[in-house]
Amino acid sequence: RRRREVLTDLPDRVQNTFEVEMAAEQQKPYDEARQAIARVLGKAKPPTATERDSITRQLARMRMACDAAELVGGASADSVPKIAELERILADVLEDASAKVVVFTEWEKMLQLVGGLLDHLEVGWLGLSGRVPVKERGRLLERFREDANARVLVSTDVGGTGLELQAASFVINLDVPWSPMRLEQRIARVLRHGQRETVNVIHLVSAGTIEEAIGVLHEKKRKLHDAVVEQDASIERMPIPTLSGQLDLEMLRALVKPEPVQAVRAEAPGGEAAAVLAEFSRYLGGKEEKSPLAAMFDALPVRGTLGEARPHPGRNPTQLPADPLE
């Protein structure tokens, strides 16, 4: 359904992003992975299949380093910055004896680090990951709803879809997924029909890193979506049209620059994805009327028109780059 049809049925949503500085133990593996990708992208030829696999692994390594050094085989000399920030947030939130919190992370190791913090704080918590058998998840969620001592649910993205978590009123994202749809799905587990309280959403982002740049990229995708598709359509149900959903290589180069946030903000959508968006935009606007995106793409070289059929590149891994965004 369209947003306007359900907005009056849902409570308020308060969203904040907290920037966290990375420790030196995180910065070293982060920079090593970033430089490895930059070397591949700096070559004159497009990445080979093996190089694309390497890029995907190094991107994951960069994102894991943003969470904690332990995720990339290191060890923190002191506390983990995101865990320390989470401790400060929980100290405030859990003063309310009725408050419950859902903490999301993409990485199971991060779930374990959060569990260690909660044990230290003597806070009752439950963990949900792929290791929990499907038949036991219902009982786990029932305990989260009914047990007053189960204050925090720490979940990987196993809990990001198909579950109802209205017992909580706080959602804390320890990392930023590639896909804005996945991020919205996490929040939607708590912000559902039957939720009576305001839902507070907190994103913990490592400052000046690929995590912050992904947030900027999410916003670009939302703006393109709203300009092309009906503004009330849900981005969860109506993804932005792109040619095979591929991440433009120029945008990837921007993501792995030393200052990725500024680079991504400066990088206009380009390449084949921009051509498809331009054609789609003009199609929606008709011959006489320009759509909101038409002016943005007028300067870009658009190959062909809607009337000219071109072979679809398909999903041949030897021809297309890996797609870390979707």
Side-chain angles (χ1 to χ4, degrees), residues 22 27 30-39 41-42 59 62 66 178 207-214 249-268:
M22 283 205 301
Q27 191 69 53
Y30 176 90
D31 286 338
E32 289 173 349
R34 181 185 63 77
Q35 291 163 5
I37 297 173
R39 283 193 295 270
L41 296 179
L59 283 170
M62 289 175 68
C66 289
W178 278 115
T209 69
I210 191 173
E211 278 195 325
E212 191 175 357
I214 291 171
L249 284 179
E250 289 305 315
M251 187 62 77
L252 182 54
R253 290 187 179 95
L255 282 170
V256 297
K257 287 183 177 179
E259 297 182 346
V261 178
Q262 295 86 335
V264 169
R265 285 198 175 117
E267 179 65 40

Side-chain angles (χ1 to χ4, degrees), residues 77-99:
D78 197 357
S79 62
V80 178
K82 282 193 178 182
I83 298 296
E85 184 66 27
L86 177 64
E87 182 176 3
R88 287 188 285 269
I89 294 170
L90 292 177
D92 289 337
V93 170
L94 298 180
E95 283 187 358
D96 180 352
S98 64

Side-chain angles (χ1 to χ4, degrees), residues 201-265:
V201 182
I202 297 173
H203 308 294
L204 296 186
V205 173
S206 291
T209 69
I210 191 173
E211 278 195 325
E212 191 175 357
I214 291 171
V216 175
L217 195 54
H218 283 184
E219 190 58 33
K220 279 177 171 281
K221 291 184 74 173
R222 289 189 184 96
K223 286 181 179 178
L224 285 172
H225 168 270
D226 288 342
V228 175
V229 188
E230 181 180 358
Q231 293 190 10
D232 275 330
S234 168
I235 194 169
E236 181 175 337
R237 297 297 182 191
M238 184 70 74
I240 298 169
T242 61
L243 188 60
S244 300
Q246 299 305 310
L247 174 65
D248 188 274
L249 284 179
E250 289 305 315
M251 187 62 77
L252 182 54
R253 290 187 179 95
L255 282 170
V256 297
K257 287 183 177 179
E259 297 182 346
V261 178
Q262 295 86 335
V264 169
R265 285 198 175 117

Side-chain angles (χ1 to χ4, degrees), residues 19-211:
E19 293 185 357
V20 181
E21 295 294 332
M22 283 205 301
E25 293 82 6
Q26 297 170 266
Q27 191 69 53
K28 185 176 183 292
Y30 176 90
D31 286 338
E32 289 173 349
R34 181 185 63 77
Q35 291 163 5
I37 297 173
R39 283 193 295 270
V40 174
L41 296 179
K43 297 179 180 179
K45 295 182 180 180
T48 65
T50 301
E51 288 172 334
R52 288 195 295 270
D53 289 341
S54 175
I55 287 173
T56 301
R57 290 194 298 272
Q58 297 295 349
L59 283 170
R61 186 173 175 83
M62 289 175 68
R63 295 177 58 231
M64 288 189 284
C66 289
D67 270 4
E70 284 88 338
L71 273 65
V72 288
S76 294
D78 197 357
S79 62
V80 178
K82 282 193 178 182
I83 298 296
E85 184 66 27
L86 177 64
E87 182 176 3
R88 287 188 285 269
I89 294 170
L90 292 177
D92 289 337
V93 170
L94 298 180
E95 283 187 358
D96 180 352
S98 64
K100 294 202 174 193
V101 182
V102 178
V103 179
F104 278 112
T105 178
E106 192 160 337
W107 320 108
E108 188 170 351
K109 177 63 177 178
M110 199 65 177
L111 184 155
Q112 295 168 4
L113 293 176
V114 174
L117 167 68
L118 296 171
D119 287 339
H120 173 72
L121 298 176
E122 297 183 346
V123 172
W125 68 283
L126 302 168
L128 177 59
S129 70
R131 294 181 182 272
V132 178
V134 174
K135 62 182 181 181
E136 295 182 13
R137 293 175 189 176
R139 289 194 295 271
L140 184 146
L141 295 179
E142 182 179 0
R143 182 181 169 193
F144 181 62
R145 288 191 297 268
E146 305 296 336
D147 187 347
N149 293 319
R151 306 293 304 281
V152 180
L153 174 68
V154 189
S155 177
T156 63
D157 282 313
V158 165
T161 57
L163 303 179
E164 297 187 2
L165 303 173
Q166 300 97 318
S169 55
F170 285 83
V171 178
I172 301 175
N173 291 298
L174 294 178
D175 33 62
V176 183
W178 278 115
S179 170
M181 180 182 73
R182 181 176 292 182
L183 188 63
E184 288 299 318
Q185 286 173 337
R186 288 179 176 183
I187 299 167
R189 298 311 98 203
V190 175
L191 189 64
R192 299 179 68 81
H193 290 292
Q195 175 62 264
R196 299 178 180 179
E197 301 183 42
T198 296
V199 174
N200 292 271
V201 182
I202 297 173
H203 308 294
L204 296 186
V205 173
S206 291
T209 69
I210 191 173
E211 278 195 325

Side-chain angles (χ1 to χ4, degrees), residues 267-312:
E267 179 65 40
E272 294 174 317
V276 172
L277 281 169
E279 292 172 349
F280 187 50
S281 167
R282 294 186 178 108
Y283 170 74
L284 290 181
K287 293 182 179 179
E288 302 298 328
E289 181 183 357
K290 284 190 175 182
S291 69
L293 271 183
M296 182 187 301
F297 291 117
D298 276 344
L300 294 173
V302 179
R303 298 190 299 272
T305 66
L306 284 171
E308 298 177 5
R310 294 195 300 273
H312 192 283

